[in-house]
Each structure stands twice: as C-alpha cells, then as structure tokens.
Amino acid sequence: MATTLIDGIAELVTNDPDQGDGSPLGLIHDAAVVADGSTIHWVGRAVNAPAADRRIGATGRSVIPGFVDSHTHLVFVGDRSAEFAARMAGERYDGGGIASTVATTRAASDDELRTALAERVFELHSQGTTTIEIKSGYGLTVDDERRILQLARAVTEETTFLGGHVVPPGAERDEYVRLVSGEMLAACAPYARWIDVFCEPASAHAFDAHESRTILTAGAAAGLGLRVHANQLAAGPGVQLAVELGAVSVDHCTYLTGADVDALATSDTVATLLPGVEFSTRSPYPDARRLVDAGVTVALATDCNPGTSFTSSMPFAVALAVREMGLTPAEALWSATAGAALSLRRTDIGRIAVGARPHLTMLAAPSHVHLAYRPGVPLARPIQLGERT
Ligand code: NIG
Ligand code: FE
C-alpha cells in the first residue's frame, strides 16, 4: 500500500505520553508522520523522517488524532426547530419531543433516511471527526429499530441499540420494556455493538432504574456492551446503576451527587459529557473539572440529535468544555479523542502512534489551543489517507 509522509507539522498531538513532551497529549514539535491507508508506520521529529511514496506538507499547522464522536443519534428525519425556539423562550426539555421525531422517522423511506444520514456523516467528517458512534431510538418498533441499525451499520461499526429511548405513545410501559428486552433486542442485536437506555425517573417518557436494569441486563446477556443516558434532567439512580452493571460509558452526567462522582472514580466507566445539550436546553453545565480531579475518565461527544443538541461539531464541544466546564484546552482535546476512544473500548483510534489507524486531523492553526481560542471557526479538516470507521 502506498505510504504518505506528512511533514512540516508545527505541533503533533499524539495522545501518547511516551512520545514527545511526556504530557498526556504527548506533544511533538516540528514533527512528521508516515502512514498508509490502514496503519500509522512512523511518528517522530521531521528531521528523522523516512522517505515515503508521496508527501503532504502541513506547513506550520497542528495535527491531532481525528475526533471520536462517541455519542450521536444521526438516523432520523423531521425538524424540531420550533421546540428549540420554545425552549429559548423558557420551556423545559423533558424528552416529550422525541415522539415527534419517532413519527417522522417511522414514516420515512429507507432512501430518505439513508440520504439524511449521509449528509450528517459528511458534516461530521468535514469538521475533523473520523469515528462516529450512532444510536437507534427513533423507531421504537421491532422493524423500525432494526432498519435504523442496518442503515447505521452501513457507515460505522459503532452502533448502539436504543429501543429503550422512551416509551412510545400508545404503548403500555411494562409491555414495552418486555418488547425491548425480548423480541426487539433479538432483532437488533446482530446489527449493534452496544445497548443504551434513557434512565431518567424525572421524565415521564424515559425509564426508571428497575426498567433500565431489565433492558441493560438483557442486552448484556445478548452480548452487547452497556452504555447509559443518565442524570440529564435531575440527579437519579442512572450513574450508579451504570457503574454497578459495568457499563463502558455513562452519558450526560449533568446532575451528579458526590456519591455519583465517587462511584465513577472507583470504576472503569467513562463519563461522557455532552455540552451541546446544556447549550441547547439552557441547562447548567456539568463540572468536568471535579470529575477529572476525582480521577474519572471523561469523554466529550456531540450527542448530535434533533431535540437536545443539533450540532455535528466536536470543536464546539471542546470549546464549551473549556469555557464552561473547567477543562484546560489540552484536557478537552484529550477527552474528545483518547477519552472518547476509551468510551468505545478502542485503542486503535484516538492516538497517533505506530500501529494505530491513520485517523489524522489537520488544524488551520499552529496549536490545539486554537480549538477553544477560536470558537466557531472551521479550523479542523481530516487528512484523507484511507477508510474511517
Ligand atoms: O441524548 N435524552 C435522550 N435522548 C437524546 C435526545 C433525543 C431527542 O430529544 O430527540 C439525548 O439528549
Ligand atoms: Fe443521546
């Protein structure tokens, strides 16, 4: 396979503390990388770089690992901008709007959904994201959840069954929980790596701890890894349930008690923070500083969805995490790359090291600090070397 030398890199973020300056970002200045379409072969100072078949000059720019967007809901059609406008005028978010997207998505053809998905994936990629996790959850029937996951599977391995998003209108709660953990799970598991549930007793639409436990344990028995939407609307049992069941990630974490932080700190569960949600629902931002100081692994993702966070921009999540959640620019970038990779139990992405995948993103800036320093400016672009998953 043809190799490419990328040189002239003013600052290379490797996320490998054994390389470069020894910090968690493993910064190398005046750096170069050699890779082919599937693997990184060499990383170091440009003066020592080996020859390659072709060359890309980074000319004083920064190169970072591609963003890992570990939490999205990209398969849907239907507009909810009026709901957003109402919230900005004082309405509260309670998950009730999900039913509107379920109705429009059920009514859409496969082709309509595929086209909408492809446009969103293009949007994410063009802003420097190289790995995308995609959840179902806007079908909520056996056939609709399965087709959503089949469409998602065509663009990523990181697919998540979220039949436990809300109880659909007209369904009886206990019967629906049985369906999700029985027939729907069996139909969807072949197309999913993960299972997720919206555990939020503060919402009449979402699931309580008992219902969430039923769905998650059924998913684990079917061989799926666990993820949980928890503590988005109020403090509740979701975070501690996620830790108890060994979930790989617990997402949102907007309202945390001291006991939640302690439970996360003594576990392997990653706290995935989604600052686009607090922005778009006018909620308080979670205290990421407190989590990092307690020793919790923090990831950042967009939660791209039409209800609570219709952004596809990982740089926006990074900027919010720095400005509003107490992370340094270095910590926020680590969380959006290496931290998010850990939340998918992946070590082949989220870092720039020999043997890792060649998922590289170039910044039109000399340092990663510009991601937060220049919010809203389209600085990040993927370097096209090969496939992304
Ligand atoms: O991650 N909270 C639950 N699910 C999504 C929102 C879905 C919607 O409102 O359409 C979330 O915020
Ligand atoms: Fe979500």
Side-chain angles (χ1 to χ4, degrees):
M1 210 181 285
T3 54
T4 302
L5 165 67
I6 302 142
D7 66 2
I9 303 171
E11 178 199 77
L12 180 70
V13 175
T14 67
N15 282 343
D16 178 355
D18 294 337
Q19 300 189 80
D21 69 350
S23 72
L25 289 192
L27 298 178
I28 306 178
H29 294 280
D30 304 316
V33 177
V34 176
D36 62 23
S38 60
T39 311
I40 294 171
H41 292 290
W42 188 90
V43 178
R45 297 286 311 274
V47 284
N48 302 321
D53 301 315
R54 66 182 194 120
R55 173 177 169 267
I56 296 174
T59 54
R61 296 183 155 98
S62 176
V63 171
I64 64 173
F67 295 114
V68 177
D69 196 346
S70 56
H71 183 142
T72 81
H73 307 246
L74 297 184
V75 189
F76 68 89
V77 295
D79 181 68
R80 282 164 62 194
S81 54
E83 182 189 322
F84 173 77
R87 265 201 315 273
M88 294 305 111
E91 291 285 314
R92 283 177 68 86
Y93 176 82
D94 72 350
I98 293 171
S100 128
T101 306
V102 169
T104 45
T105 301
R106 283 180 183 169
S109 68
D110 287 359
D111 274 349
E112 285 168 324
L113 288 175
R114 194 179 291 109
T115 302
L117 171 61
E119 282 169 4
R120 293 179 192 125
V121 167
F122 176 79
E123 226 179 83
L124 269 79
H125 284 163
S126 57
Q127 294 171 90
T129 295
T130 48
T131 301
I132 307 174
E133 180 269 4
I134 302 177
K135 300 175 198 304
S136 64
Y138 290 125
L140 310 186
T141 65
V142 173
D143 288 345
D144 284 305
E145 284 295 299
R146 179 176 42 213
R147 78 176 174 131
I148 286 171
L149 284 166
Q150 286 170 331
L151 291 164
R153 215 357 113 77
V155 300
T156 183
E157 291 289 298
E158 302 294 350
T159 51
T160 302
F161 169 50
L162 182 58
H165 199 182
V166 286
V167 179
E172 195 278 319
R173 291 196 79 86
D174 290 348
E175 237 170 68
Y176 187 68
V177 171
R178 268 197 298 281
L179 179 71
V180 171
S181 33
E183 189 192 343
M184 195 185 284
L185 171 64
C188 291
Y191 308 101
R193 180 171 183 216
W194 308 99
I195 185 168
D196 195 340
V197 65
F198 186 16
C199 178
E200 195 72 59
S203 162
H205 310 282
F207 299 88
D208 66 20
H210 177 70
E211 295 161 339
S212 300
R213 180 188 292 276
T214 301
I215 292 169
L216 292 169
T217 49
L224 303 182
L226 308 186
R227 321 182 74 76
V228 186
H229 279 69
N231 299 49
Q232 174 185 359
L233 306 177
V239 166
Q240 299 199 42
L241 179 69
V243 169
E244 181 204 321
L245 297 180
V248 172
S249 180
V250 59
D251 300 32
H252 286 284
C253 299
T254 309
Y255 296 93
L256 294 179
T257 63
D260 294 331
V261 176
D262 291 346
L264 286 166
T266 51
S267 77
D268 287 334
T269 303
V270 174
T272 298
L273 307 184
L274 309 165
V277 175
E278 284 79 30
F279 180 91
S280 302
T281 57
R282 256 201 227 291
S283 303
Y285 289 91
D287 187 350
R289 176 83 268 133
R290 177 185 183 202
L291 289 169
V292 169
D293 288 347
V296 177
T297 301
V298 169
L300 287 173
T302 64
D303 196 9
C304 185
N305 79 80
T308 61
S309 182
F310 201 7
T311 176
S312 50
S313 172
M314 287 295 282
F316 179 56
V318 167
L320 288 178
V322 171
R323 178 62 182 82
E324 304 288 349
M325 290 157 56
L327 295 186
T328 65
E331 288 168 334
L333 176 57
W334 187 91
S335 291
T337 52
L342 286 175
S343 85
L344 297 172
R345 289 278 190 269
R346 298 271 298 267
T347 53
D348 60 329
I349 56 173
R351 63 200 183 96
I352 298 178
V354 172
R357 294 209 193 193
H359 291 186
L360 310 173
T361 286
M362 180 131 31
L363 303 182
S367 119
H368 68 279
V369 177
H370 284 234
L371 285 167
Y373 172 48
R374 304 197 66 207
V377 180
L379 300 177
R381 289 273 181 283
I383 300 176
Q384 297 291 354
L385 290 173
E387 99 306 359
R388 307 179 188 94
T389 49

